[in-house]
């Protein structure tokens, strides 16, 4: 294992999962390719976020996973960058501490995907 992957894995496995300033907890709805992910915020907003190069080929994110993102000002479609990928023990700790948003409880349904629908409709029209 390369040194870079070792440090990235240590960062992912780290127990610290507190939200910083300009950061928010979101749910991954879909992978859109090119390291872009469609996410849903606690407020129901759906948009794209990017995965930084340090996580690429080291960490994989599936649909339904939770991540912490940091908002970015520039860009229309891509409005954030993934800062931390949350694992099961992170989720348990956040629920135990009372930091888990009630909008992401198991019985809540995520909104329909809007960004991927736009892409599919554009492909159908061509």
């Amino acid at each position: 294992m390369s040194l870079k992957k070792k440090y990235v894995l240590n960062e992912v496995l780290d127990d610290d999962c507190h939200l910083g300033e300009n950061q928010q907890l979101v749910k991954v709805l879909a992978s859109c390719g090119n390291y872009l992910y469609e996410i849903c915020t606690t407020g129901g907003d759906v948009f794209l976020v990017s995965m930084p190069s340090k996580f690429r080929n080291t960490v994989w994110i599936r649909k339904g996973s939770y991540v912490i993102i940091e908002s970015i000002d520039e860009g229309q479609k891509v409005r954030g960058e993934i800062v931390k990928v949350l694992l099961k023990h992170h989720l348990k700790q956040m629920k135990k501490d009372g930091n888990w948003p009630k909008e992401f409880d198991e019985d809540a349904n995520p909104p329909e995907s809007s960004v991927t629908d736009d892409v599919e409709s554009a492909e159908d029209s061509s």
Side-chain angles (χ1 to χ4, degrees):
M1 177 184 306
S2 71
L3 193 58
K4 177 183 172 186
K5 283 187 180 186
K6 184 177 179 180
Y7 284 113
V8 170
L9 285 176
N10 285 339
E11 182 180 332
V12 169
L13 296 174
D14 182 25
D15 288 336
D16 182 32
C17 58
H18 299 290
L19 295 177
E21 189 178 325
N22 203 22
Q23 293 181 347
Q24 56 184 326
L25 175 68
V26 297
K27 183 175 185 175
V28 176
L29 298 179
S31 172
C32 299
N34 291 332
Y35 302 105
L36 295 175
Y37 294 88
E38 183 179 28
I39 57 95
C40 174
T41 64
T42 54
D45 295 333
V46 177
F47 55 89
L48 293 175
V49 296
S50 65
M51 178 185 279
S53 60
K54 71 177 182 177
F55 290 133
R56 297 175 186 176
N57 298 324
T58 304
V59 179
W60 284 265
I61 300 174
R62 338 170 108 165
K63 176 182 172 182
S65 298
Y66 295 93
V67 295
I68 295 176
I69 66 162
E70 189 166 299
S71 299
I72 55 175
D73 296 331
E74 63 273 349
Q76 296 281 356
K77 290 186 179 182
V78 180
R79 298 191 307 181
E81 185 173 69
I82 297 172
V83 176
K84 184 160 184 75
V85 178
L86 299 177
L87 303 175
K88 285 184 180 181
H89 70 278
H90 294 126
L91 303 181
K92 288 180 184 177
Q93 185 65 38
M94 289 182 82
K95 289 177 183 178
K96 181 180 171 186
D97 294 343
N99 295 332
W100 187 254
K102 60 184 173 189
E103 294 86 0
F104 288 147
D105 285 339
E106 265 57 71
D107 56 349
N109 293 326
E112 290 298 317
S113 171
S114 65
V115 176
T116 52
D117 291 341
D118 294 341
V119 172
E120 289 173 0
S121 62
E123 290 175 354
D124 292 340
S125 64
S126 19

